[in-house]
Amino acid sequence: MITFKQFITEARMAPLYHGTSAAYLSSIVRRGIRGETIQAAHKILKNDNQVGVSTTRSLKFAVSWVSGERNEGIVLEFDQQKLAQMFEIKPISYFTSETRGSREMGEKHYTNEFEEFVITGKRSIPFSYITRIYISRQYAKRWPEKYERDIVPIQQQYGSSFIRYYDHI
């Protein structure tokens, strides 16, 4: 059994995941990831007008979030320690009974206690903070021209292990 201090330390070292549409990938490579204003209904931060990026410590949750994107969803993996050097990271929970924001995904009902909100303000999270990109194998089959244009150059520059497939997670 680990101590509470070990648990906290391990949680701060865990990667963070962000699910989004593959349509944004070329923009993310060029400009990084720009944050959005958090929805005031969640009432999770003192200032509901904080601008940032929602992330999770659960790859499975991030994959389930983008699974309905007609296989065009991607999941970005971040180095949390690197992010914490430049941005404030706040734990949040979108899907609680208080926020009434439950999400049905397939036959599963999610409540996620592993969410983090990266407060970016006017800054973007640089592409260099991404340690891996997860895509669906179906993406390459359904949209080979998009795959060649967006994914192959990233594989060539960062290596084949930079791109992973999430179909069997």
Side-chain angles (χ1 to χ4, degrees), residues 4 10 16 21 27 53 71 77 91 111 116 127 148 158 168:
F4 183 71
E10 186 176 303
L16 294 176
S21 171
S27 172
V53 176
N71 296 317
E77 179 183 297
T111 56
E116 309 282 347
F127 183 77
E148 286 291 323
Y158 295 96
H168 302 291

Side-chain angles (χ1 to χ4, degrees), residues 49-79:
N49 293 319
Q50 294 281 4
V51 175
V53 176
S54 296
T55 64
T56 178
R57 284 185 274 141
S58 168
L59 175 58
K60 198 173 213 174
F61 183 76
V63 167
S64 66
W65 186 263
V66 299
S67 292
E69 297 278 335
R70 300 180 322 157
N71 296 317
E72 288 190 65
I74 60 171
V75 175
L76 308 173
E77 179 183 297
F78 296 104
D79 180 332

Side-chain angles (χ1 to χ4, degrees), residues 12-165:
R12 289 185 185 137
M13 292 177 10
L16 294 176
Y17 303 96
H18 174 73
T20 190
S21 171
Y24 300 126
L25 188 56
S26 60
S27 172
I28 289 169
V29 170
R30 286 191 316 273
R31 295 186 216 124
I33 301 168
R34 288 180 272 174
E36 295 180 357
T37 303
I38 193 156
Q39 296 175 8
H42 296 306
K43 298 179 183 173
I44 52 178
L45 301 172
K46 290 179 184 173
N47 179 356
D48 288 334
N49 293 319
Q50 294 281 4
V51 175
V53 176
S54 296
T55 64
T56 178
R57 284 185 274 141
S58 168
L59 175 58
K60 198 173 213 174
F61 183 76
V63 167
S64 66
W65 186 263
V66 299
S67 292
E69 297 278 335
R70 300 180 322 157
N71 296 317
E72 288 190 65
I74 60 171
V75 175
L76 308 173
E77 179 183 297
F78 296 104
D79 180 332
Q80 184 176 179
Q81 290 181 309
K82 199 171 182 179
L83 277 175
Q85 292 174 7
M86 186 171 175
F87 303 102
E88 183 179 1
I89 302 173
K90 293 229 181 200
I92 59 171
S93 184
Y94 281 127
F95 305 115
T96 67
S97 58
E98 291 176 12
T99 60
R100 299 181 194 159
S102 63
R103 175 146 176 144
E104 295 285 340
M105 296 181 194
E107 295 182 15
K108 297 180 182 177
H109 178 77
Y110 285 88
T111 56
N112 187 16
E113 67 276 14
F114 301 115
E115 294 171 283
E116 309 282 347
F117 188 70
V118 181
I119 299 172
T120 58
K122 295 180 181 181
R123 299 171 294 172
S124 293
I125 299 174
F127 183 77
S128 62
Y129 282 42
I130 298 170
T131 54
R132 186 165 287 131
I133 298 173
Y134 294 85
I135 64 170
S136 168
R137 288 187 192 281
Q138 295 302 314
Y139 181 81
K141 291 177 183 174
R142 291 179 92 179
W143 294 279
E145 68 286 346
K146 290 181 185 179
Y147 184 84
E148 286 291 323
R149 182 191 68 218
D150 297 335
I151 304 298
V152 171
I154 292 171
Q155 283 181 314
Q156 290 170 343
Q157 184 171 354
Y158 295 96
S160 60
S161 64
F162 191 77
I163 304 289
R164 296 280 172 93
Y165 298 98

